[in-house]
Amino acid sequence: MPRTQHTHTSRLPLYAVAALLAVPSASAAAGAGTGPLGVTGTAAATAQSARVGALFLAGRRDHLRGGHFCTASVVHSPRHDLIVTAAHCLDGKREELVFAPGYRDGVAPYGVWTVEKWFLSDGWVEGRDEDSDVAFAVVERRGGKGVEDAVGGNRFAAGTAPGATAVTMTAYLNSRETPISCADKPRLHHRTQQSVACPGFGGGSSGSPWVDGDGQVVGVLGGHDNGGHSANVSYSVVFGAEAKALYGESAGCVESHVGSS
């Protein structure tokens, strides 16, 4: 049963492979499932990549450069105020967080949005279950508008078959101030975990959305080994009933079952 987490965030991301990426030019995938498969490059500044952003401690709001630690992305919700990331990016945090969609080179072109609360499943809260390594967070609204009104949001999809289309991963490495991107077809690691072979997704890439050819988020980088012990193979939970229920709770579609913890 999903659990609402109200405290201000978790331990630092555990997916921290120390690998600097030599990014080839003109190799970024243009959209979900397009471009050369298995090639990592700098993500172009597009309407799609603007929905992906970096997470920071709130103390970095006025000096963002070099301060991000995980990746998150905007998903569609009735209130237009929801982002998705990996549970291990949020679990254990005690400071306020902020989210900067479309962040590049120290600049947040769509603003810096305060994370107000987040949602972790019981599977993660009670046992750090790698099959529960997904989390949602509600960000502040401004003048009745949410972050989705500023940049749009991808649909969150549970129950899709891994590998039906290629997915595009977009991520903010700790070592870089511009996002990277790569597209490839996911493969089942086992029934509840999927993997993508794309080079260079090291520290900071946790929480990166896997956007399929239909514009749906069908994974987030995390899960097995907090996303993988190699920067060249990344993992995600296969979204099922637990992820669907957690989305419903965080999006306000269903009543919250459990209070803060």
Side-chain angles (χ1 to χ4, degrees), residues 28-44:
T34 66
L37 297 182
V39 178
T40 299
T42 300

Side-chain angles (χ1 to χ4, degrees), residues 180-207:
I180 62 171
S181 183
C182 178
D184 207 345
K185 278 198 170 187
R187 298 166 176 81
L188 271 179
H189 175 63
H190 55 68
R191 184 179 59 85
T192 56
Q193 295 283 329
Q194 55 186 322
S195 68
V196 167
C198 276
F201 279 72
S205 60
S206 287

Side-chain angles (χ1 to χ4, degrees), residues 126-138:
E126 296 173 358
R128 305 301 187 266
D129 185 350
E130 66 178 22
D131 292 337
S132 301
D133 194 4
V134 59
F136 296 91
V138 172

Side-chain angles (χ1 to χ4, degrees), residues 169-239:
M169 300 190 298
T170 304
Y172 286 86
L173 301 185
N174 294 338
S175 58
R176 291 174 52 86
E177 294 301 297
T178 54
I180 62 171
S181 183
C182 178
D184 207 345
K185 278 198 170 187
R187 298 166 176 81
L188 271 179
H189 175 63
H190 55 68
R191 184 179 59 85
T192 56
Q193 295 283 329
Q194 55 186 322
S195 68
V196 167
C198 276
F201 279 72
S205 60
S206 287
S208 306
W210 297 17
V211 181
D212 73 4
D214 296 319
Q216 303 176 126
V217 176
V218 296
V220 294
L221 203 155
H224 181 61
D225 281 343
N226 291 300
H229 65 274
S230 165
N232 298 325
V233 179
S234 301
Y235 294 86
S236 168
V237 176
V238 175
F239 295 152

Side-chain angles (χ1 to χ4, degrees), residues 67-85:
H68 50 90
F69 65 89
C70 260
T71 304
S73 67
V74 182
V75 289
H76 174 66
S77 66
R79 296 188 302 254
H80 291 193
D81 59 2
L82 198 64
I83 61 175
V84 65
T85 187

Side-chain angles (χ1 to χ4, degrees), residues 4-147:
T4 307
Q5 179 79 7
H6 291 290
T7 46
H8 280 293
T9 51
S10 37
R11 63 185 162 175
L12 291 175
L14 300 180
Y15 181 59
V17 178
L20 295 178
L21 178 67
V23 180
S25 61
S27 61
T34 66
L37 297 182
V39 178
T40 299
T42 300
T46 65
Q48 182 62 234
S49 65
R51 299 174 180 182
V52 185
L55 290 172
F56 302 78
L57 297 179
R60 303 289 306 213
R61 179 187 292 271
D62 297 325
H63 50 288
L64 297 174
R65 187 181 295 275
H68 50 90
F69 65 89
C70 260
T71 304
S73 67
V74 182
V75 289
H76 174 66
S77 66
R79 296 188 302 254
H80 291 193
D81 59 2
L82 198 64
I83 61 175
V84 65
T85 187
H88 73 262
C89 287
L90 301 182
D91 177 34
K93 290 285 191 298
R94 292 296 177 263
E95 297 180 55
E96 188 177 78
L97 298 183
V98 295
F99 171 66
Y103 170 79
R104 286 175 186 264
D105 294 319
V107 176
Y110 305 99
V112 178
W113 301 73
T114 299
V115 175
E116 294 185 331
K117 60 182 176 180
W118 53 90
F119 297 78
L120 306 173
S121 70
D122 280 350
W124 183 264
V125 171
E126 296 173 358
R128 305 301 187 266
D129 185 350
E130 66 178 22
D131 292 337
S132 301
D133 194 4
V134 59
F136 296 91
V138 172
V139 300
E140 65 177 328
R141 294 175 60 82
R142 299 173 179 173
K145 301 290 187 180
V147 66

